[in-house]
Amino acid sequence: HQIDDDLLPFNPTKNKALWAVLSTPEIDSFPGIPASCTQDVLMIWDFLSTFHRIISLHPFDLEDFAAALIYKPTDISETSDPTPPILLAETHLALLKLLLSDGSSDAWWWSTLETPETEAKEETTRGEADNIAPTIKLDFKALLDFDEDINITRKWLQALEDVRTKRANSGASIKSSIKSASFLATNPMVKTYLRKAMRGWKGNDAAFAKQSVMWLIGRLREARPDVWGRQIDVSILDEVKAKVAAEAATSMEQLEEDQELDNGEEIHYGDSDGEDSDSDEEEEIEAEDNFQGKQDNFRGKTIENMQPSAKVEKKEDTSALVVTPIPEKPPPSLVDLFLPPYKPQHNSYIVSPFTWSFVVGTSVTRILHRYKRLRNEVDDSLREFGELKPLTIAERRRREKIAPLRILSECISTTETDLECPVVSAVEHLTNGKNYLSLSPLQRLSILRVLVESAYDTIRVNQCVQDNIQSRISAVKQLENEERRAKKEAKEAASLVETAARERLVQEAKYEFTSKKRREIIRKNKFTGEFTTDHLETLDDEEIADFDDETRAEYDALPGPKQFNKNEVRKTVAKINEENAFGTSALEALTLEEIQSREANTLIEMEDELANYGESANSYNRDTSAKINALKREIENFKEWQETLPTSRAEANEVLREAIDDGTVKPLRNAIRTAKQALLSGEDEETGGMWAYDLLRDAALELKQSEKRKRVIEAQKDLVAKRNKCFVRTDSIGKDRAHNRYWHFDNDSHERIWFDAEFKLSSDQNESLDATPTIDESMVSLGPGDKEEDLSKTDEKNYIPFSRKEYHSSGLISSLARHRNGCLSSNKSLRALIKNLESKGLWEGSLKVSVKEILEGSGALDVSTADGGENEENENPVQKAGDEQVFQEAKNDGSLQQIELICSLESAIDQRCRLRIVHDDISAPDAGIYIMGTVVGWRMKKTIIQIQNQKEDSDSEFEDETMNDRDLPVVEKDLPAWSLSLDKGGMKEIYASELLTGLIRAKKWKHQYPGYVEHDSPLFAYRNKLGRFCGRAADAPYASSPQFFSKLMMKREQEFYNSLKSRSYDNTWGGRDGLRNTWILSMKEDFDNLYTLRDGILTLEQAFHDLCGGVTSIESKTEDDETNSAKEILEDDTLRCDIELESLGLAIGGLWHCKESREIFREIISTSTSIGIFALGLDLLCRNCQAYLEATKPTITRKAVSSVSNYDQGMYTNLGRLTRSAFSTDQPQQPSSRRMNSWQQQQSM
């Protein structure tokens, strides 16, 4: 029976062996990416592979994904814009299109934009008094100091709450609310305030009263949070009251002193109720406009007071308490200036292979801003629940600064390289229009992590998960039915064995009884002589049972099949299973000592038999002499076996133990075969069955169980695959006693096991023999810790340590803890893991079964240990060490470049090697794949090689050159061959040249050697067969190239040229000057130069500007000109907020709405060297052209013109611009030699 792992006795041997496996994984990290971010790489890749149908992304290998993250181009120059790998482009485009097409992106896209929607969200969370001007001067401190029952205060405030939702011209309802509040209130200051609020009543105009009431409600909400059920310390509440009272007094300084009303004065409520219904509609509208105007005037005055002069930066009071969870807004970036005022459509030109990196940067900015707000809301709610004082603005800003590290702690690098947060620096890099490939692998990973986190929140992904849950329930039911069927079959088979065991017990009982009676009858017959001896020997069991009545009674009283106890049946069942495992009718299990004793007795018997023949063999005939000679040879062989068997049996014993611990089919079969070769089993002449070593018996039983489990796994393979397709989340397959978790990914093409191991803190007091790696507490923390002061106060001492166990099992770390991550993929490491897991533990036992099922179902453990190693019996065995000399000779003989990278290596054993494998040397010699492996041993291997003879005379040399390779002499030679354990499973033998090349390649790949690029890697051959966001497979590698961008510019120009030229009176672009043709020719011939593309888009802007009738020109700034230049505006964050490059509204008279917009556009394009920025600028030009076309649509259609008499052509001059297709008359048109625009047509008539 399995028990809790914590209750198992500590086994230092297994603990040490387990950590020996985990300390040397095949993959411990990815090159260029910190080891602490391995889990992020796995999480992102698992999401992309699992939801590939949702995001229309063809799955790819984990190695290709990691290679794309660390890819660095080698041909970067000022005139070139290198493009990222297609895999990265397709991945980011897939995520962008998912996010932008999903409704959930509305929650974060508007978070940093200056739009009415964002302002409305902010105003709903801010204090009411911040937006409403005070109308009545009063002593607000005295109002707060009055001792009034809190329940009464809550009642009259609730009565006034209805005023908030009423319109200012709804006098009757506002009057009713104020009446109720005045009746309920006992505070005389409140009653006086409400009477003063009602004095300004005019007809049905309640604007003054509504404004006064809303100001009072807002201030009381800030000053008395305890009224709404929030428990606050008295000292903190007094501070809040004093602060709000001081702010109220400051806001009322400009109000004039108002004569207080007498207590007996009646409140003026305006006209009677009957007259309210007869108010004029214009008066109601005027009242509402007056109320809104007063609020706008107050906001304007407030802004003027805060900014007495233009361009004076507002200084924030950092000591004040926060009143909103909205973070500080960042200024608009360079890319934001090119984006439209609406959320980009996922199928527009903005989301394209040219622009995806910049749109990703702006999207991540907004997502992080949204996450900061959510984090602020959590902080505020925790502090409010814990009855803590609100944060100050300074503390809030500090928390917002580290918010990305608190949100995405896995992607921090402060502890790795002492740099700033990678996601923040990456966003700043992209939004400033810089190249994506300039980012570090960690920054690229951080960007993807944010996108994937946001993708998890999308409606489509959540709907997919919900659908998968329902489908998974159905698949699980089918799998459970199959499991029940398998259990039923196993139960039926066990029932048959149990029945056979009971029958055997019955037969044994009968046999024992009849044998006993037979002896008694024979003993009695000696005295009576009643029966002959022959007669007694021929009696069968039934005849003995019927010998007399007493014997029959005793025979009938023997126990039946159901009368044996469970222990007897269990022992018999085990015996039957053992016999079935060996395929015999009887089996006797022996210990090693018993086997040796039996063999010694056999040898004595043979020697005694030989001694019985005597010394002289001359007196015997030929047959007897042959028997004696054979017996002598048998005795000699037997003695030789006794000398060699102990060694082979010791090896077999060890192999049997390892195979039983492993528990998989192949090692068990190999171990049983080894044991039989060591003569640990044989036929038993006495019983007619077999005898076997007890450990061999256990291995045979384990083999039967493994084969049965494998058959069940094969039968359930399709159902398991169907269940796994219904993805919900990737869970760990289990954990061991040290709380190390293990993972297996269904989308991994290689059957590997990933682990996440904890470090033991140096301060932990664990067993001295524990081999768990230790680390100092200060070094294990990653990123900023939790703000534990926000947690609810509790008297429990274990509360904080318990909450910290989310990060580390010790409960001493308040932040994410550093873990050891790695991958086990080789047969050796996987078998070692299975061997060192304790089957008796609940966790480790379940983990062991899961690992066996996964690896046996995939066949990963059935790979041969070496390439032909099992069949080469005469070859030298693989050695685990001792290759120093041959390895040094190989380095000296080699003529490889950069051999100095491995000069310091003395041995190749345990070194990492990266091989390049070409599957087809003839049809595709340049297409290869790269695999990693570890050198585990070496041996001298006989190899047939060809030797090319070198002759001195030229004739011989000429003949040698013409010789075929098949004619060259061959020789057999012993060469060193190294065994490589591949990460994807299996073994491979390589020779010296391939070894040295692989070692050098592995060094370059791991340490990101400058200039090292694997151009034939599968990474560059990736094509997205599902989404094809970069176009067709043949065009995908060039989708973001300058050539394709030049084609895009010509296409977009063609789309707008025909429409724009009909609006222009002076077409210099497509006229006789040939500017358009020259531009098109330059785009076709010199598209590879970035400067040409930049000049091309600037030329296109000038053409569109002229066609749109623009009169603004780019002029140099004079000394007397006080306006800021475009460069100064872009460099100033405050001035940048006022930039608007989009043509908005209906009154559009050209391509740009002002001269400054055009200057800024041309400044950005002129200083940029990125095709993505050019593409964003091109799309902005096209959007402004479209806005101009829509604003200048003709006002007369063909139908309208045909219905009007054409006798007076002058009447059309006041009806708007006519198009050639809209204008039609009966008069013949003057022939023209070329196509005329609409203005020329009108003049010709």
Side-chain angles (χ1 to χ4, degrees):
H1 296 284
Q2 292 180 334
I3 61 176
D4 193 342
D5 295 68
D6 294 333
L7 301 178
L8 289 173
F10 181 73
N11 189 339
T13 304
K14 280 199 171 185
N15 178 268
K16 184 178 181 180
L18 177 62
W19 278 106
V21 176
L22 300 183
S23 300
T24 57
E26 282 72 24
I27 301 176
D28 55 354
S29 63
F30 297 99
I33 300 175
S36 58
C37 298
T38 302
Q39 292 183 355
D40 296 275
V41 179
L42 295 175
M43 186 274 284
I44 296 171
W45 171 78
D46 184 55
F47 174 85
L48 298 175
S49 301
T50 302
F51 293 100
H52 68 277
R53 295 189 180 276
I54 300 297
I55 61 178
S56 299
L57 184 68
H58 190 72
F60 41 78
D61 287 340
L62 176 61
E63 284 74 12
D64 294 342
F65 176 61
L69 289 176
I70 64 177
Y71 169 74
K72 291 182 180 179
T74 57
D75 54 345
I76 298 180
S77 62
E78 294 182 357
T79 59
S80 63
D81 186 22
T83 59
I86 301 175
L87 188 148
L88 287 179
E90 292 282 357
T91 299
H92 286 83
L93 284 170
L95 291 173
L96 270 181
K97 291 180 180 294
L98 170 68
L99 294 174
L100 295 179
S101 63
D102 197 86
S104 62
S105 58
D106 294 336
W108 51 261
W109 181 261
W110 310 107
S111 60
T112 58
L113 299 181
E114 296 291 342
T115 59
E117 291 82 358
T118 304
E119 295 299 325
K121 291 181 180 180
E122 290 183 9
E123 290 182 4
T124 57
T125 57
R126 295 170 58 183
E128 295 290 348
D130 292 342
N131 294 328
I132 301 177
T135 57
I136 302 172
K137 194 168 186 177
L138 82 160
D139 188 356
F140 195 72
K141 184 177 184 302
L143 186 148
L144 294 175
D145 291 340
F146 183 80
D147 188 11
E148 185 180 40
D149 187 4
I150 192 172
N151 294 323
I152 295 178
T153 305
R154 186 181 296 113
K155 288 181 180 179
W156 64 260
L157 277 174
Q158 289 175 350
L160 292 177
E161 282 289 342
D162 293 339
V163 178
R164 186 194 304 272
T165 59
K166 305 299 181 184
R167 297 177 63 86
N169 52 18
S170 303
S173 56
I174 294 177
K175 181 199 311 180
S176 176
S177 299
I178 295 178
K179 279 183 179 181
S180 301
S182 180
F183 176 77
L184 294 172
T186 59
N187 190 336
M189 300 294 294
V190 175
K191 289 181 175 289
T192 302
Y193 182 87
L194 294 178
R195 284 197 296 269
K196 291 182 179 181
M198 298 298 296
R199 287 194 308 170
W201 202 285
K202 296 180 181 180
N204 206 31
D205 181 8
F208 181 82
K210 178 179 179 180
Q211 184 174 350
S212 302
V213 169
M214 291 182 64
W215 182 88
L216 178 63
I217 294 174
R219 284 301 182 185
L220 280 174
R221 276 188 172 275
E222 294 181 15
R224 294 292 303 278
D226 58 319
V227 175
W228 311 106
R230 180 177 175 184
Q231 298 180 358
I232 300 179
D233 187 75
V234 177
S235 60
I236 298 178
L237 183 61
D238 292 339
E239 292 179 5
V240 175
K241 286 182 180 180
K243 183 176 181 296
V244 176
E247 293 177 353
T250 302
S251 63
M252 291 187 293
E253 287 180 354
Q254 298 179 357
L255 294 178
E256 298 179 357
E257 291 289 342
D258 193 8
Q259 184 179 0
E260 295 185 1
L261 296 175
D262 296 333
N263 294 334
E265 183 177 352
E266 296 181 358
I267 302 177
H268 176 69
Y269 296 111
D271 297 337
S272 61
D273 296 342
E275 295 176 353
D276 290 340
S277 59
D278 299 331
S279 60
D280 187 40
E281 182 179 359
E282 294 182 359
E283 183 179 346
E284 295 178 358
I285 298 175
E286 182 180 358
E288 180 66 20
D289 293 341
N290 290 337
F291 175 73
Q292 297 294 339
K294 292 177 182 179
Q295 293 189 8
D296 295 339
N297 292 335
F298 173 70
R299 295 190 185 98
K301 292 179 180 178
T302 304
I303 295 174
E304 292 176 1
N305 294 335
M306 294 168 57
Q307 300 178 357
S309 60
K311 308 305 179 185
V312 175
E313 186 177 357
K314 175 184 175 181
K315 293 185 178 181
E316 190 176 34
D317 184 10
T318 58
S319 62
L321 300 178
V322 294
V323 295
T324 174
I326 297 179
E328 186 179 12
K329 288 187 176 181
S333 64
L334 194 68
V335 177
D336 288 329
L337 301 179
F338 286 104
L339 296 180
Y342 49 85
K343 185 178 72 173
Q345 300 295 323
H346 67 280
N347 54 357
S348 63
Y349 285 104
I350 297 179
V351 186
S352 68
F354 303 106
T355 62
W356 63 263
S357 60
F358 305 115
V359 181
V360 163
T362 56
S363 300
V364 172
T365 302
R366 289 157 169 78
I367 295 172
L368 287 178
H369 193 273
R370 175 66 177 173
Y371 283 175
K372 288 180 182 179
R373 175 171 180 170
L374 296 177
R375 176 66 69 176
N376 292 341
E377 292 176 356
V378 172
D379 290 349
D380 293 344
S381 62
L382 287 175
R383 297 185 67 84
E384 182 177 358
F385 181 78
E387 303 177 8
L388 300 175
K389 182 180 179 180
L391 294 171
T392 62
I393 294 179
E395 178 63 23
R396 172 56 58 80
R397 294 294 177 259
R398 284 194 294 269
R399 293 197 178 189
E400 289 176 358
K401 187 176 182 179
I402 64 173
L405 303 182
R406 298 177 65 197
I407 299 168
L408 306 170
S409 300
E410 295 85 347
C411 287
I412 67 171
S413 65
T414 53
T415 58
E416 301 289 341
T417 57
D418 231 2
L419 298 176
E420 60 180 333
C421 178
V423 66
V424 175
S425 59
V427 165
E428 183 179 356
H429 179 91
L430 293 178
T431 53
N432 286 331
K434 299 180 181 179
N435 193 285
Y436 175 85
L437 291 178
S438 300
L439 297 177
S440 66
L442 182 60
Q443 290 175 322
R444 301 177 192 178
L445 180 67
S446 303
I447 291 290
L448 280 172
R449 174 66 192 276
V450 177
L451 294 177
V452 169
E453 287 288 344
S454 182
Y456 270 116
D457 297 333
T458 57
I459 299 174
R460 291 184 61 190
V461 171
N462 280 272
Q463 185 61 42
C464 175
V465 172
Q466 294 297 327
D467 296 341
N468 285 347
I469 290 175
Q470 300 299 326
S471 302
R472 190 181 182 88
I473 292 175
S474 175
V476 168
K477 288 182 177 179
Q478 296 180 11
L479 184 58
E480 289 176 350
N481 292 335
E482 180 63 25
E483 290 176 352
R484 282 195 293 267
R485 187 189 65 79
K487 290 181 179 180
K488 183 179 179 181
E489 292 180 355
K491 188 175 181 180
E492 291 176 353
S495 177
L496 293 176
V497 175
E498 182 179 352
T499 303
R502 292 184 180 275
E503 291 293 335
R504 176 179 289 191
L505 288 174
V506 171
Q507 295 299 327
E508 290 178 353
K510 290 181 178 180
Y511 177 77
E512 183 179 358
F513 175 79
T514 55
S515 299
K516 179 180 177 182
K517 286 298 181 181
R518 186 188 301 275
R519 289 193 298 270
E520 291 179 358
I521 294 172
I522 293 174
R523 188 171 56 253
K524 290 180 181 180
N525 189 59
K526 290 181 180 180
F527 299 100
T528 61
E530 183 178 357
F531 304 102
T532 63
T533 303
D534 295 338
H535 176 71
L536 293 177
E537 291 178 356
T538 58
L539 292 176
D540 56 10
D541 294 344
E542 287 295 332
E543 292 175 345
I544 293 177
D546 294 334
F547 189 76
D548 53 27
D549 295 339
E550 183 180 357
T551 304
R552 168 53 66 181
E554 292 178 2
Y555 185 82
D556 293 339
L558 291 175
K562 301 295 185 181
Q563 296 176 346
F564 293 95
N565 57 45
K566 293 183 179 180
N567 291 332
E568 295 176 336
V569 175
R570 190 180 297 114
K571 292 179 181 179
T572 308
V573 168
K575 192 173 182 180
I576 293 176
N577 289 333
E578 294 172 0
E579 295 169 354
N580 293 336
F582 282 87
T584 183
S585 58
L587 178 68
E588 182 180 4
L590 303 175
T591 63
L592 191 59
E593 292 77 9
E594 292 174 345
I595 294 175
Q596 293 174 352
S597 177
R598 173 178 287 201
E599 291 175 348
N601 295 333
T602 303
L603 180 60
I604 293 173
E605 291 177 359
M606 287 191 298
E607 291 177 346
D608 292 342
E609 183 180 356
L610 180 61
N612 293 333
Y613 285 103
E615 294 294 335
S616 177
N618 297 328
S619 59
Y620 300 106
N621 56 26
R622 183 178 299 177
D623 294 338
T624 305
S625 298
K627 290 180 181 181
I628 293 174
N629 294 332
L631 186 59
K632 288 180 179 181
R633 287 194 300 269
E634 188 175 356
I635 292 174
E636 291 176 0
N637 294 335
F638 204 91
K639 289 180 178 180
E640 291 179 0
W641 290 344
Q642 285 185 331
E643 294 177 358
T644 58
L645 281 178
T647 303
S648 59
R649 283 178 174 176
E651 296 177 357
N653 187 64
E654 184 65 25
V655 171
L656 286 172
R657 294 184 184 278
E658 292 180 357
I660 292 174
D661 291 336
D662 189 295
T664 53
V665 175
K666 180 161 185 174
L668 286 170
R669 288 178 178 172
N670 294 335
I672 291 173
R673 181 168 58 252
T674 303
K676 290 181 178 180
Q677 292 174 356
L679 302 180
L680 290 177
S681 65
E683 297 181 357
D684 193 347
E685 297 178 357
E686 296 180 0
T687 62
M690 291 184 64
W691 62 268
Y693 178 38
D694 54 1
L695 201 59
L696 177 58
R697 173 203 59 189
D698 297 339
L701 292 174
E702 185 68 24
L703 177 61
K704 283 293 182 182
Q705 294 295 328
S706 300
E707 291 175 343
K708 184 186 300 182
R709 181 173 60 250
K710 189 172 183 179
R711 287 194 297 270
V712 172
I713 293 173
E714 290 294 334
Q716 299 176 357
K717 189 174 182 179
D718 295 338
L719 293 177
V720 171
K722 182 179 179 181
R723 181 199 62 186
N724 293 338
K725 287 182 180 179
C726 306
F727 174 81
V728 177
R729 60 174 298 179
T730 301
D731 291 323
S732 62
I733 60 176
K735 62 179 180 179
D736 57 20
R737 188 175 60 173
H739 301 278
N740 304 323
R741 293 193 172 272
Y742 297 82
W743 306 81
H744 172 72
F745 299 99
D746 296 329
N747 299 293
D748 196 353
S749 58
H750 311 308
E751 296 299 335
R752 302 180 286 199
I753 300 296
W754 293 83
F755 66 86
D756 175 22
E758 279 190 350
F759 285 96
K760 184 180 67 173
L761 300 182
S762 302
S763 57
D764 288 351
Q765 300 296 329
N766 291 341
E767 295 87 346
S768 59
L769 299 178
D770 192 352
T772 306
T774 59
I775 191 173
D776 188 72
E777 185 175 341
S778 60
M779 297 296 296
V780 75
S781 298
L782 287 176
D786 287 340
K787 301 298 181 180
E788 295 178 343
E789 62 270 16
D790 294 351
L791 299 178
S792 176
K793 297 179 180 179
T794 178
D795 296 333
E796 299 181 9
K797 296 182 180 179
N798 297 327
Y799 179 75
I800 296 296
F802 175 77
S803 63
R804 290 177 174 178
K805 288 188 176 182
E806 176 185 1
Y807 305 117
H808 196 272
S809 58
S810 64
L812 301 176
I813 307 300
S814 61
S815 65
L816 189 75
R818 188 188 303 275
H819 285 197
R820 178 189 292 273
N821 298 285
C823 173
L824 306 177
S825 58
S826 65
N827 291 334
K828 179 181 177 182
S829 58
L830 291 173
R831 296 186 189 280
L833 172 64
I834 297 174
K835 174 184 176 181
N836 293 289
L837 293 177
E838 183 59 61
S839 302
K840 297 180 180 179
L842 289 174
W843 301 342
E844 293 193 355
S846 176
L847 173 62
K848 190 171 186 177
V849 172
S850 299
V851 174
K852 288 180 182 180
E853 290 179 353
I854 292 172
L855 300 180
E856 284 185 346
S858 62
L861 295 178
D862 293 337
V863 182
S864 61
T865 58
D867 291 343
E870 295 181 356
N871 298 327
E872 298 178 359
E873 299 179 356
N874 297 327
E875 291 285 352
N876 296 325
V878 176
Q879 303 178 27
K880 304 299 181 182
D883 69 329
E884 290 81 3
Q885 182 178 355
V886 294
F887 182 66
Q888 188 64 34
E889 293 176 356
K891 290 192 296 182
N892 296 334
D893 296 340
S895 58
L896 297 176
Q897 297 180 354
Q898 299 175 341
I899 192 70
E900 64 275 2
L901 293 177
I902 59 174
C903 284
S904 60
L905 298 180
E906 298 180 357
S907 172
I909 305 299
D910 296 332
Q911 296 297 324
R912 297 286 288 171
C913 185
R914 186 170 180 83
L915 299 181
R916 178 180 180 270
I917 298 178
V918 179
H919 289 293
D920 194 343
D921 296 332
I922 299 176
S923 60
D926 297 331
I929 61 173
Y930 294 83
I931 57 176
M932 292 293 296
T934 304
V935 181
V936 295
W938 77 286
R939 64 170 177 167
M940 298 301 295
K941 184 177 180 180
K942 292 183 178 180
T943 308
I944 297 177
I945 60 174
Q946 292 179 336
I947 299 179
Q948 186 170 358
N949 297 326
Q950 297 181 355
K951 301 295 182 69
E952 294 181 357
D953 54 309
S954 58
D955 295 339
S956 300
E957 291 178 1
F958 179 77
E959 292 176 0
D960 289 342
E961 291 177 1
T962 58
M963 289 178 62
N964 196 333
D965 290 341
R966 292 178 296 178
D967 300 331
L968 294 176
V970 296
V971 64
E972 187 177 25
K973 188 176 181 180
D974 288 340
L975 296 178
W978 282 265
S979 296
L980 196 67
S981 177
L982 304 178
D983 289 353
K984 67 176 184 179
M987 302 287 292
K988 185 175 181 62
E989 280 193 339
I990 57 177
Y991 292 99
S993 59
E994 192 174 2
L995 171 69
L996 297 177
T997 305
L999 293 176
I1000 296 174
R1001 189 184 292 119
K1003 289 282 185 181
K1004 292 182 178 181
W1005 178 76
K1006 183 174 181 61
H1007 300 289
Q1008 292 297 286
Y1009 192 81
Y1012 176 72
V1013 178
E1014 297 172 349
H1015 295 285
D1016 57 347
S1017 173
L1019 162 68
F1020 301 100
Y1022 173 78
R1023 297 294 183 271
N1024 186 9
K1025 299 178 182 179
L1026 296 179
R1028 295 184 178 179
F1029 304 122
C1030 292
R1032 299 179 304 172
D1035 298 337
Y1038 318 103
S1040 57
S1041 63
Q1043 179 183 4
F1044 273 55
F1045 179 68
S1046 63
K1047 291 182 179 180
L1048 178 63
M1049 277 201 297
M1050 291 185 288
K1051 175 184 176 183
R1052 300 305 300 274
E1053 188 271 344
Q1054 180 66 30
E1055 290 177 0
F1056 289 94
Y1057 173 68
N1058 292 330
S1059 300
L1060 287 176
K1061 74 176 183 179
S1062 63
R1063 306 289 203 277
S1064 176
Y1065 296 103
D1066 187 12
N1067 183 7
T1068 59
W1069 172 245
R1072 296 180 179 179
D1073 295 339
L1075 297 179
R1076 183 167 183 258
N1077 293 332
T1078 304
W1079 178 80
I1080 293 175
L1081 183 63
S1082 65
M1083 291 297 99
K1084 290 182 178 180
E1085 293 183 350
D1086 197 13
F1087 54 80
D1088 287 333
N1089 195 327
L1090 284 179
Y1091 296 141
T1092 302
L1093 296 179
R1094 183 170 62 188
D1095 295 340
I1097 193 171
L1098 291 175
T1099 304
L1100 183 62
E1101 185 274 337
Q1102 181 67 47
F1104 281 176
H1105 179 265
D1106 295 341
L1107 290 173
C1108 292
V1111 295
T1112 58
S1113 60
I1114 306 298
E1115 300 177 356
S1116 61
K1117 183 179 178 181
T1118 62
E1119 297 181 356
D1120 298 335
D1121 191 2
E1122 298 181 356
T1123 60
N1124 296 311
S1125 64
K1127 185 177 181 180
E1128 293 173 346
I1129 294 176
L1130 291 173
E1131 293 177 350
D1132 193 329
D1133 292 342
T1134 304
L1135 297 177
R1136 190 184 294 182
C1137 296
D1138 300 329
I1139 298 176
E1140 180 57 65
L1141 303 183
E1142 195 86 13
S1143 296
L1144 304 175
L1146 298 177
I1148 300 176
L1151 185 65
W1152 307 103
H1153 59 80
C1154 64
K1155 180 182 69 173
E1156 289 76 11
S1157 298
R1158 187 186 182 202
E1159 292 178 354
I1160 292 171
F1161 174 83
R1162 296 185 68 89
E1163 173 66 22
I1164 296 174
I1165 298 298
S1166 300
T1167 57
S1168 177
T1169 58
S1170 174
I1171 296 180
I1173 294 295
F1174 298 162
L1176 289 175
L1178 175 64
D1179 191 74
L1180 174 63
L1181 290 178
C1182 296
R1183 293 199 307 271
N1184 286 349
C1185 287
Q1186 185 64 36
Y1188 170 76
L1189 292 175
E1190 293 179 357
T1192 57
K1193 286 182 179 180
T1195 57
I1196 295 182
T1197 62
R1198 182 191 304 270
K1199 182 178 180 180
V1201 173
S1202 61
S1203 61
V1204 180
S1205 175
N1206 56 7
Y1207 73 95
D1208 187 5
Q1209 299 179 10
M1211 64 178 295
Y1212 298 123
T1213 58
N1214 298 325
L1215 296 180
R1217 185 179 293 117
L1218 301 178
T1219 62
R1220 186 179 63 178
S1221 60
F1223 187 85
S1224 63
T1225 60
D1226 296 336
Q1227 297 179 359
Q1229 299 292 326
Q1230 295 182 0
S1232 59
S1233 59
R1234 64 182 181 87
R1235 186 176 182 180
M1236 299 184 296
N1237 58 32
S1238 59
W1239 180 80
Q1240 293 169 332
Q1241 293 173 12
Q1242 195 171 7
Q1243 294 297 326
S1244 63
M1245 292 183 293

